[in-house]
Amino acid sequence: MSEKNKVQEFFKLGEFGNYFTRVFQKPDPNKPSNFNLRMMHGINKISIVMFLIAIIVWIIKRVI
């Protein structure tokens, strides 16, 4: 296996990782949706954004 393939395999997101990019896309109008599902995705968006902000603040504190 070449070095490039090893790096690609290491950073492969998979189904769980792809959710983080899918959650910020517009919903598919052909799929059924209800209030509970929309709220769940909304809370997940807030959680992901807060987590990323916390990681950035933590990294800045460690560097400075």
Side-chain angles (χ1 to χ4, degrees):
M1 186 182 290
S2 70
E3 187 66 30
K4 186 176 181 180
N5 288 341
K6 289 180 185 178
V7 173
Q8 284 178 337
E9 188 67 29
F10 181 75
F11 287 108
K12 194 173 190 180
L13 294 176
E15 191 63 33
F16 179 73
N18 287 336
Y19 173 78
F20 293 109
T21 57
R22 259 194 346 257
V23 77
F24 290 103
Q25 295 174 353
K26 295 246 182 211
D28 186 9
N30 297 328
K31 290 188 178 179
S33 178
N34 60 26
F35 179 76
N36 293 331
L37 188 62
R38 288 193 311 267
M39 287 298 110
M40 180 192 72
H41 286 297
I43 290 170
N44 285 348
K45 289 176 190 178
I46 293 169
S47 300
I48 292 168
V49 169
M50 288 179 65
F51 174 75
L52 292 175
I53 290 171
I55 292 293
I56 291 168
V57 168
W58 182 77
I59 290 171
I60 290 172
K61 279 186 171 183
R62 291 288 183 180
V63 170
I64 295 178

